Amino acid sequence: MVVCGDDGLAHRLAAELRGVYREQVTLVVPPSGRRVRQPVVGRARAASAALLDMVNAAVNRSGNGDQSGADRELEATEPTEDVLADAGVERATALALVYDDDETNIRAALTARRLNPRLRLVLRLYNRRLGQHIEDLLDQSAALATRDGSGSGPDGGPDAGAGAWSGSTTVLSDADTAAPALAATALVGTSKIVDTDGILLRAVERHPPAPGEVADPGLCTLALLSATSNDPAGTDGSEDSGEQGPQLLPDAAAVEAATGRGAVVLEQVSYSGPPLPAGRAGVPAFGELFSRRLRWSLAGLAACVVALAVALMVVTGDHPLHATYVTLLDLFSINEPAHNDDVGRQILQLLSGFVGLLLLPVLLAAVLEALGTFRTASSLRKPPRGLGGHVVLLGLGKIGTRVLTRLREMDIPVVCVEADPEARGMATARRLRVPVVLGDVTQEGVLEAAKIHRAHSLLALTSVDTTNLEAVLYARSVRSRLRVVLRLYDDDFATAVYRTLRAAHPRALTRSRSVTHLAAPSFAGAMMGRQILGAIPVERRVLLFAAVEVAGHPQLEGKTVGEAFRAGAWRVLALEVADGASGGGRAASGGSVGSSGSVGSRLVWELPDTYVLRGVDRVVLAATRRGLAELLGRRARHGSGV
C-alpha cells in the first residue's frame, strides 16, 4: 500500500492500514520543513491495540512474522512520476492520494494509472462532481489498458483475493465522511445519518423501554449503549476507546438480555429533501419585502380608506362600490372639488386628501425598501430577532460547509460565524439563506451577535485548535449548559480538553471529534477494494457501512443471512436486486453490480434470515473496523486468516 499526503489524514490512514489491516505501507510526505504538523497517532487506542495484538499473535503462531515487511517513509515535495516509481507504485496493490489540493491528487492519479493500470486508486477530492468524472475517466483508462491482459497481479502471480488488482478508482471526501457524524453529534435526539447512494439511513438512539413497553427494533439493532451514555459525567466523549463502551452489532440474545441500556436502532428514511422555505427562492416572500413597521403603516392607511368609504356611503347614500371609487379619487386628488355639496361631503373630501398626503411617503418607502430587499437577496443574512434553539457553526471551510449542508437538509436552524468573507462556504450560506456573522470568533461581541445565549449547541469547526477552544470556553461562560462539539487536531490535547471541560461543567455535554479519525476507516476500507458507504459513530467507536461482493468471501458465500451474521463484527443489512425483483429475490446474474443508486438495481431491506447468499450477490453490511479487517482482509497474501 502506498499513501501520499501532506496532512494528518495521510498519517492516520497509514496507521489504520498498519494497525488494523496489517498491511505493508509506504508513506510519501513532504519534507520536514514544509510538512504540516503531524497528529499524535502513536498512542494506540484500546480497540486498535487489541486487534494489533491479535494479529501479531496470529502471525507469530503461523511462523510468518516477516511477511508484513518494513514500512517506508519517503519525503517528496510533490508526487511526481519519479517519486511514485520510487515508492513502488508499479508493484503496489493500492495507492491513496490524500493531499489537501484536488489538482495535486488528480495529476498524481493520472500518472499512477499510466505506471500501473491495475492499481487500485483512492483519491481525496472535495469537488464531488469533478470527482465523479475523474473516477469514470480513470476506470475507463484502466479497463482499456487491461482489456487484453491476464488476471494476474503485477508480480505475475494470481489475484490476491477478491477484487485485488482490479484497477478500480474510488473518490472520497473526508468532509463528506465526517459531516454527518459532526452534525449528529451537535444535536440531542437527532438521528445519525449515512447516505447509501440514494437510500438514507439513520441510527436513532433510543432510551431503555419502560416496563411493559415493547421497543421498535427498526431494521436492526446496531449497538447497545454503555450504561453511562446518558450521564454527562460518564466516560463518553473523547476519541479515546476505553475498555468500557457500547456493544456493537449485538445478537438477539444480547438485545433481549440487556436491561437499563439504550440502543442504537437503524431506520430507513425515504428522503427527498425538505421543501425550500419561501425565503430561499429567487424572489423573497411578501413578508420579507417590507419591514413590520411598513406593513403596519400600509394596514393603517387601508383601514382609513375603508372607513372613509363607509362614511361617504352613509352621508351620500351611494352604492358601496361607487362610494369606494369616489373615495379613491379624493385620496389621489383627482376628483372635482365638492364646492356645491353639503358640509359632510366636503369634510370627507378634505380627510381623504389628507390621507392621500400620508400615503405618498409610505408608498415611496415601500418601493425603496422592496428594491433594497431585492438588492440584498443574495447577500448574507443577519440572525433574526428572537432566534433560539439554533446551532452556532464556527468556520465555513470545507468541513464547515459540508456540515452546514447536512444541518439544513435536516431543517435545523443554523447561524454561522466566519472571519474570512471569501471563505469557501460563503456561497453555500448565501444560497441556503443562512444567517452569517462576519468576524473573528475570539473578539468580543461576535458570539453574542450569533445569539449564543439562546443557542442549542455550538459546533467549533475552524482549523485552529486554540480558536475552537477559546470559543467553547467563552460560550460556556455565557451559557454553562451549552452543548459543544470541538474539532481538535491533536488527540492528547483533545482528551485533556474534554476531561477538563467535563469536570468544570458536569451537567453539560462536551464532545471532541477529529475529522481525520472519522475519515481514515473509510479511506482504508476503499484501499482494501471495498466500497465504504459511510460511517456512524456510536459513542467512542465507529460503525462502517460497506457494499461488498459476496463472491470470494467464505464467511458469506453459500450461507444464509442468519448464518453470515457475526455478533460484534458484521451483519448483512440489504441485498442489491434488479428492478422489478421481489424482496429477498436473487440479484440478476450478470446484472448491474453498481451502487444502490445505479440504473437497473435497488436495495432490498429486511432480508429473511433464511435467504442464502450467492456469489453473484452484492450486499450492504454494517461492520466494526475490526470485523471489516477480519472479513475483508487479504487472506491470500498473509495466510493468517485476518
Side-chain angles (χ1 to χ4, degrees):
M1 301 289 181
V2 180
V3 178
C4 302
D6 58 356
D7 61 3
L9 180 58
H11 296 277
R12 287 189 181 275
L13 179 54
E16 187 84 13
L17 292 170
R18 288 194 298 260
V20 177
Y21 294 97
R22 196 60 179 176
E23 290 292 330
Q24 180 178 349
V25 182
T26 298
L27 180 62
V28 180
V29 292
S32 301
R34 302 183 58 181
R35 190 183 312 173
V36 297
R37 59 195 181 101
Q38 177 180 352
V40 180
V41 295
R43 182 174 53 85
R45 290 158 176 75
S48 298
L51 177 60
L52 185 58
D53 293 340
M54 182 189 70
V55 173
N56 289 332
V59 172
N60 292 333
R61 286 195 301 269
S62 61
N64 297 324
D66 58 344
Q67 287 187 0
S68 63
D71 292 340
R72 300 172 59 203
E73 181 171 328
L74 304 179
E75 291 188 351
T77 304
E78 294 183 359
T80 61
E81 182 174 352
D82 294 337
V83 171
L84 293 176
D86 189 22
V89 167
E90 297 178 354
R91 303 177 305 277
T93 302
L95 167 66
L97 298 166
V98 293
Y99 290 94
D100 192 53
D101 180 49
D102 288 1
E103 182 180 351
T104 301
N105 293 328
I106 294 173
R107 185 169 58 249
L110 296 174
T111 302
R113 179 61 78 211
R114 186 177 68 254
L115 294 176
N116 185 358
R118 298 180 180 273
L119 181 69
R120 185 180 301 118
L121 289 174
V122 179
L123 279 73
R124 171 191 184 184
L125 295 182
Y126 180 80
N127 191 327
R128 289 177 286 188
R129 180 176 300 179
L130 176 61
Q132 182 62 47
H133 294 314
I134 292 296
E135 184 174 331
D136 295 339
L137 175 65
L138 293 174
D139 283 345
Q140 183 178 2
S141 174
L144 292 176
T146 59
R147 180 174 53 186
D148 299 329
S150 62
S152 61
D155 56 358
D159 287 357
W165 321 116
S166 62
S168 62
T169 305
T170 304
V171 175
L172 297 175
S173 169
D174 56 337
D176 287 332
T177 304
L182 291 170
T185 307
L187 306 171
V188 177
T190 300
S191 305
K192 302 173 182 179
I193 298 175
V194 58
D195 187 1
T196 59
D197 289 341
I199 302 297
L200 197 68
L201 305 176
R202 60 178 182 179
V204 183
E205 292 188 8
R206 293 183 176 171
H207 296 292
E213 291 184 354
V214 178
D216 182 10
L219 293 177
C220 69
T221 300
L222 293 178
L224 296 174
L225 299 176
S226 60
T228 59
S229 61
N230 295 321
D231 183 6
T235 58
D236 177 38
S238 68
E239 297 287 350
D240 223 4
S241 292
E243 296 181 359
Q244 298 180 353
Q247 184 178 353
L248 303 183
L249 300 176
D251 53 18
V255 173
E256 294 178 0
T259 57
R261 298 178 64 179
V264 177
V265 178
L266 184 67
E267 292 182 350
Q268 180 182 354
V269 182
S270 57
Y271 176 76
S272 58
L276 292 177
R280 294 193 200 173
V283 179
F286 178 81
E288 296 187 10
L289 282 175
F290 310 114
S291 64
R292 177 177 298 181
R293 182 179 300 177
L294 186 58
R295 293 198 300 268
W296 277 109
S297 299
L298 291 173
L301 289 175
C304 291
V305 172
V306 173
L308 290 172
V310 172
L312 182 62
M313 182 182 63
V314 172
V315 171
T316 62
D318 287 345
H319 188 274
L321 292 179
H322 185 265
T324 303
Y325 173 70
V326 172
T327 301
L328 291 177
L329 291 179
D330 293 336
L331 188 71
F332 296 114
S333 300
I334 57 178
N335 196 10
E336 293 291 338
H339 294 296
N340 301 322
D341 294 337
D342 55 14
V343 178
R345 173 72 181 89
Q346 293 175 353
I347 294 175
L348 289 177
Q349 190 177 55
L350 292 175
L351 291 176
S352 298
F354 179 72
V355 173
L357 293 176
L358 297 178
L359 180 62
L360 289 178
V362 174
L363 291 178
L364 180 61
V367 172
L368 294 178
E369 190 168 294
L371 291 176
T373 303
F374 277 104
R375 188 180 301 112
T376 59
S378 60
S379 62
L380 296 175
R381 300 182 62 193
K382 295 182 179 180
R385 295 181 179 179
L387 179 65
H390 58 287
V391 176
V392 176
L393 175 62
L394 309 184
L396 283 177
K398 66 176 186 177
I399 303 298
T401 303
R402 291 290 192 252
V403 174
L404 171 62
T405 304
R406 287 286 184 173
L407 290 172
R408 290 307 302 137
E409 286 176 353
M410 293 184 284
D411 206 20
I412 296 167
V414 185
V415 174
C416 300
V417 179
E418 175 57 53
D420 183 10
E422 302 297 329
R424 187 193 297 263
M426 283 299 184
T428 302
R430 290 189 181 95
R431 176 175 57 85
L432 298 177
R433 302 296 309 280
V434 174
V436 178
V437 177
L438 286 175
D440 188 353
V441 71
T442 60
Q443 296 178 354
E444 186 177 357
V446 175
L447 285 179
E448 284 82 353
K451 314 293 184 184
I452 192 65
H453 57 285
R454 290 199 297 265
H456 177 275
S457 56
L458 172 66
L459 268 168
L461 302 181
T462 69
S463 57
V464 182
D465 287 1
T466 54
T467 300
N468 294 334
L469 177 59
E470 183 176 355
V472 167
L473 292 177
Y474 181 75
R476 278 285 169 81
S477 67
V478 176
R479 187 176 180 183
S480 60
R481 295 192 181 185
L482 180 69
R483 180 180 178 88
V484 298
V485 180
L486 297 86
R487 174 192 176 189
L488 297 179
Y489 191 81
D490 190 285
D491 287 341
D492 289 334
F493 182 54
T495 302
V497 167
Y498 165 72
R499 290 174 178 172
T500 304
L501 288 175
R502 185 185 63 183
H505 303 277
R507 295 187 178 182
L509 294 176
T510 305
R511 298 292 182 264
S512 62
R513 292 291 181 260
S514 168
V515 173
T516 55
H517 176 83
L518 295 173
S522 296
F523 280 82
M527 290 191 72
M528 299 301 295
R530 319 300 166 188
Q531 182 186 6
I532 302 297
L533 303 176
I536 286 181
V538 180
E539 296 183 7
R540 303 177 303 272
R541 302 181 184 177
V542 176
L543 272 177
L544 299 178
F545 292 79
V548 178
E549 303 285 350
V550 173
H553 301 293
Q555 301 96 327
L556 303 177
E557 190 172 4
K559 299 191 177 198
T560 65
V561 173
E563 294 172 346
F565 168 55
R566 180 175 297 181
W570 63 77
R571 179 171 188 164
V572 176
L573 299 178
L575 172 72
E576 184 183 75
V577 298
D579 279 338
S582 60
R586 302 281 184 189
S589 178
S592 170
V593 291
S595 64
S596 61
S598 60
V599 177
S601 64
R602 61 186 177 87
L603 290 178
V604 174
W605 304 87
E606 298 183 358
L607 290 173
D609 290 341
T610 56
Y611 175 77
V612 180
L613 300 173
R614 299 192 309 172
V616 297
D617 288 339
R618 177 185 174 92
V619 296
V620 174
L621 54 84
T624 62
R625 286 191 291 175
R626 174 177 176 177
L628 194 64
E630 181 179 354
L631 176 65
L632 307 179
R634 289 161 59 196
R635 297 169 300 278
R637 289 188 62 186
H638 297 321
S640 62
V642 178

